[in-house]
Amino acid sequence: MPSEKFKLAVLVSGCGSNLQAIIDSIEENNLAAEISLILSNVPDAYALQRGKKHGLESVFLDPKDFPNRDDYEKRMIEILQTKSIDLVCLAGFMRILGKKFIEGFSGKIINIHPSLLPAFPGLNVQKKALEHGVKFSGCTVHFVNEEVDGGAIILQAAVPILDADDVQSLSDRILEQEHIIYPEAIRLIVEDNLEFSGRRVARKTRGN
Ligand code: GAR
């Protein structure tokens, strides 16, 4: 009997192009995992349609149905636990997660962020990078801890900023890199190929 697949939950709020990159990686046999659940906090997130198109369970959980964030996240935790999720991947999930959720999945939540952290945490970061005048931006896959966009960094890709760039063109080129490094970071975790030293995360050095 083949052993159980590594189970991913992908949390989304929008277009879902990173979700698509993860789906494609799995379907192309570059990632030995399955997406057991796609969960959105936005009803019409296109990501939900992408999931359904690939036959994946794709759920909208309405924050308005819960009196507060704690109760919403409690329900999220319950749903994820029933699916025995191994890794929670935030892919354009535009809600800050609370302490209980983060503790509940300690070390098992990762996020993709469209800047070279620790530069430009938070929102609208492509615009901030342009306004600041940096010559390189990029994207970061990191573990999620209680500090927003502050967890240990798994992978980054740099993207040069061109004189002619606007927010759209820069965001598009950063997204291209996101679609490469996010599935790759997930693969490193699935294959247990990371080692940790304080905040530093590195590929395991494997002997021959
Ligand atoms: C991506 O650029 C992702 O890095 C960003 O939202 C976009 C989602 O695109 N995430 C954040 O800004 C999180 N703070 P997608 O829905 O097409 O994957």
Side-chain angles (χ1 to χ4, degrees), residues 12-20 47 50 90-95 111-115 121-126 138-140 142 148-149 171 174-175 178-179 182:
V12 295
S13 304
C15 169
S17 68
N18 278 291
L19 166 69
Q20 189 68 54
R50 292 184 192 266
L90 311 185
F93 186 65
M94 295 306 193
R95 262 181 89 91
N111 181 41
I112 178 96
H113 180 79
S115 78
L123 295 175
N124 302 318
V125 296
Q126 299 92 337
C139 47
T140 303
H142 64 92
V148 174
D149 299 322
S171 302
I174 291 175
L175 261 182
E178 294 185 33
H179 300 160
Y182 208 12

